Amino acid sequence: MKSLIIYDSAYKNNTEKIARVLANKIDADLLSLKESKGVIIEDYDLIGFGSGVYKETISSKLFDYVEKLNLRGKDVFVFSTSGVGMKFYNKKLIHLLESRGAICKGSFACKGSFNSREFSDNKIFELMSKFAMGHPNNEDLIKAEKFVERIVRQIKE
């Protein structure tokens, strides 16, 4: 099975850490949207799409990239990093992927460290940043590996 991981990691490279772990685990090609090199989507059986969460949403660059793809019948998955590490941020991207004909096989999210003072003076964000400090950590990376292993196993069955 030929796999590709496409990601946008613009802040502290939290998402890039997860993307690299996923790619290494399943021997996938890796494409950062910063590189913006062309890729032939038809060559891949499984495609992962990942992003950090910026101002409560996945990267607009990733949405724009997906809008241009023909994903009919492609197996895909979504992953993200955020201050809270919740999968609900992935829903909008999953909906877009499915509207492009993709078959979403799963969704993964984990915390990513951030500096709250760079975004807000609100005390709640300061508290959230303390809980997210040091993430993604080894436990997050192991969970990411197990997630992608389940996806591959599911496709092969």
Side-chain angles (χ1 to χ4, degrees), residues 103-117:
I103 303 159
C104 190
K105 296 295 188 177
S107 176
F108 176 82
C110 71
K111 290 179 184 172
S113 62
F114 70 101
N115 182 346
S116 64
R117 292 198 177 123

Side-chain angles (χ1 to χ4, degrees), residues 3-27:
S3 303
L4 173 66
I5 309 289
I6 300 170
Y7 70 97
D8 188 29
S9 189
Y11 178 56
K12 290 193 175 277
N13 294 324
N14 296 316
T15 305
E16 182 175 358
K17 290 175 190 170
I18 298 296
R20 290 190 179 283
V21 163
L22 296 171
N24 287 337
K25 192 65 181 177
I26 62 172
D27 194 28

Side-chain angles (χ1 to χ4, degrees), residues 2 19 23 32 37 43 48 53 60 71 76 86 88 91 96-98 104 113 129 138 143-144 146:
K2 191 166 181 186
S32 167
K37 64 181 178 184
D43 290 349
V53 174
S60 61
L71 296 169
V76 301
M86 304 290 284
F88 67 82
K91 287 182 180 181
L96 174 60
L97 290 164
E98 290 176 340
C104 190
S113 62
S129 71
N138 284 336
K143 286 179 182 177
K146 288 181 180 179

Side-chain angles (χ1 to χ4, degrees), residues 78-103:
V78 173
F79 63 98
S80 65
T81 59
S82 67
V84 294
M86 304 290 284
K87 288 195 288 188
F88 67 82
Y89 290 119
N90 298 351
K91 287 182 180 181
K92 186 176 174 186
L93 181 56
I94 291 168
H95 180 72
L96 174 60
L97 290 164
E98 290 176 340
S99 77
R100 307 289 305 153
I103 303 159

